[in-house]
Structures are given as structure tokens and as C-alpha cells.
Amino acid sequence: FSYSGATAAHMKDKLTRDNQFCNIKPETVGRIFLLCGTTNVDPIYYGSRTIDTAKNDITLFVEYLTNRFPKASVNVINLLPRINKGRNDIAKELNLHLQNLNKATG
């Protein structure tokens, strides 16, 4: 599933309303690879979003997935480096959070 330009909160909302996703049998899912956080970098950089809100949204999304698919391991993919130091500092902080989530979810 891909929702280009969506934050973690938007992805969670869209998935809960996606019939194809809702019809997946939880026992058939062994691994989930999740790329999220990228859409948060610019809003955090420009001050319209806080990094704590982004971290919380990502955590809630990962918790939703681990509850929906209890047998699956959830792997959150790190963000790629950014073009300038300010954005790169944000990506580094989000990546640290993502690494901690990966440790917590196995």
C-alpha cells in the first residue's frame, strides 16, 4: 500500500478505510516494511509541525500495525539524508526514533 505525501497519521487513517487492507487476514502477514516520516521533515523545518507530534503519530501507526498483525515484525525504514543541515538534523532525530521503534517491535 502506498499513500504518497501522507503522514503516518494520514496513512493509518487511509488504511483503516481501505477495503483491500481491511480484508487481509492478520495471520497471513509475517513482515511489514514501513517508510514513513519523510513527509514530516519540511513541516517541522518550517515550524508548522513539531517533531514530537511526528514521533507520536509514527509510534501510534506502528502500534496500530503491530496490534492488527500480531505475528508480523514491523520494520520501519530510516529516512535518507536531506539537502541542508537543518533538514538533515530533523531526519537524524526522526531516524533515532525509528531505530528505537524497530528495537521495540523486534
Side-chain angles (χ1 to χ4, degrees):
F1 295 87
S2 175
Y3 303 110
S4 180
T7 65
H10 292 126
M11 286 191 290
K12 180 179 174 260
D13 182 56
K14 288 177 185 238
L15 281 176
T16 59
R17 294 182 286 119
D18 186 314
N19 287 335
Q20 186 178 2
F21 177 80
C22 291
N23 288 328
I24 296 173
K25 294 178 181 165
E27 65 275 4
T28 66
V29 179
R31 289 189 180 166
I32 298 170
F33 292 91
L34 180 63
L35 175 60
C36 67
T38 300
T39 307
N40 292 300
V41 174
D42 279 348
I44 293 167
Y45 182 75
Y46 290 114
S48 63
R49 186 169 182 78
T50 68
I51 199 155
D52 289 335
T53 298
K55 289 177 184 179
N56 186 58
D57 287 348
I58 293 167
T59 299
L60 290 174
F61 187 34
V62 170
E63 287 173 352
Y64 167 74
L65 291 171
T66 57
N67 288 329
R68 171 89 170 86
F69 303 102
K71 293 182 179 180
S73 63
V74 178
N75 302 283
V76 189
I77 301 167
N78 281 352
L79 305 176
L80 295 173
R82 296 312 203 214
I83 198 163
N84 69 29
K85 182 178 177 352
R87 285 182 177 95
N88 210 32
D89 289 345
I90 293 165
K92 284 180 184 179
E93 188 170 341
L94 287 173
N95 279 338
L96 181 60
H97 182 69
L98 300 179
Q99 289 170 354
N100 290 332
L101 283 175
N102 281 333
K103 288 177 187 174
T105 60

